[in-house]
Amino acid sequence: MKKILLSLLAIFLIIEEWLWDLLTAFGRSLSQWLNLQRFEQWLSQTSPPMALVAFSIPVLIVTPINLAAFGLLAKGMVLQGILVEVLAKLLGTLLVARVFALTKPQLLTFTFLRITYTTITRWLQWAHAKITETAVYRWVKQFR
């Protein structure tokens, strides 16, 4: 059972890594296309409280989309709910990750966020180490 679970997690991790790379590149391109370099420069140098507000905005944008997805699922509209949740995941990863990357030093001045970030990072590193040991992960990485 442990091998099956780790194999499924390995597949999920590979997809997540691929999406992260793709969305990071897309976010950079979108930022350049929308000519947001000056805004991003300002955001990366803003005060910690302003960085927290900026970080909260994408979360507030994505949360109603997540709630809509759960509402669709509750009404039995499974396919629509899953598609809306996938959209929320992609949009959330794009927006939240971009703002976090720009404001990380300011955000980590808040004790709660620093503790949360280091705890989650430690868990992810542990999980990644376990998953990368699986045969499925090594096999798929050969083709990537």
Side-chain angles (χ1 to χ4, degrees):
M1 185 67 164
K2 182 179 173 183
K3 256 186 176 177
I4 293 170
L5 180 59
L6 284 175
S7 295
L8 289 173
L9 287 173
I11 292 167
F12 177 76
L13 181 64
I14 291 165
I15 293 170
E16 186 76 19
E17 286 176 355
W18 177 75
L19 280 174
W20 185 268
D21 294 343
L22 182 69
L23 289 172
T24 300
F26 179 72
R28 255 186 260 114
S29 297
L30 186 62
S31 172
Q32 291 172 347
W33 185 68
L34 294 173
N35 201 22
L36 296 175
Q37 293 88 355
R38 284 181 42 186
F39 172 73
E40 288 186 344
Q41 180 68 27
W42 170 80
L43 190 58
S44 68
Q45 297 173 350
T46 193
S47 67
M50 186 59 78
L52 187 58
V53 169
F55 183 68
S56 300
I57 291 170
V59 172
L60 292 173
I61 290 170
V62 173
T63 300
I65 300 170
N66 289 116
L67 293 174
F70 291 130
L72 289 169
L73 290 170
K75 291 181 181 178
M77 303 170 82
V78 177
L79 182 60
Q80 294 91 333
I82 290 171
L83 289 174
V84 171
E85 185 57 34
V86 168
L87 171 70
K89 174 68 174 160
L90 293 173
L91 184 62
T93 301
L94 177 67
L95 294 175
V96 173
R98 186 77 181 149
V99 173
F100 183 76
L102 292 168
T103 59
K104 182 179 172 183
Q106 297 96 311
L107 290 173
L108 294 183
T109 63
F110 295 100
T111 304
F112 172 75
L113 289 176
R114 186 176 59 253
I115 291 169
T116 302
Y117 176 79
T118 54
T119 301
I120 290 172
T121 301
R122 230 177 299 130
W123 289 345
L124 289 173
Q125 289 170 345
W126 173 83
H128 194 274
K130 290 289 182 197
I131 291 167
T132 55
E133 295 171 358
T134 65
V136 171
Y137 185 87
R138 288 190 308 270
W139 182 74
V140 172
K141 282 300 251 188
Q142 290 176 348
F143 295 106
R144 187 165 180 243

